Amino acid sequence: MSDQESARRDPEQLLDRLDTTDCHYCDGDLDAGTYKGSEAILCEDCGTPAVRVW
């Protein structure tokens, strides 16, 4: 199974990969967290979720 296929099946791997990306709205740093009760990648500066898994 390729890395891409694994990421589709494992939300934790997907969140880990996106954890180091910059926010598209304010260029702040993204970090793993919780958004409205779901696992997510959020901007540390503006709080905007980049990815949400539920």
Side-chain angles (χ1 to χ4, degrees):
M1 180 179 323
S2 73
D3 287 341
Q4 192 173 32
E5 288 172 330
S6 295
R8 284 188 205 137
R9 296 171 196 251
D10 187 0
E12 290 290 323
Q13 284 183 345
L14 176 62
L15 294 176
D16 287 344
R17 286 181 179 199
L18 295 170
D19 194 359
T20 58
T21 307
D22 291 333
C23 177
H24 293 284
Y25 297 100
C26 75
D27 291 325
D29 292 328
L30 297 179
D31 196 17
T34 303
Y35 181 78
K36 295 186 178 184
S38 306
E39 294 295 319
I41 298 293
L42 305 167
C43 177
E44 293 177 340
D45 296 332
C46 71
T48 301
V51 173
R52 184 175 169 202
V53 180
W54 65 107

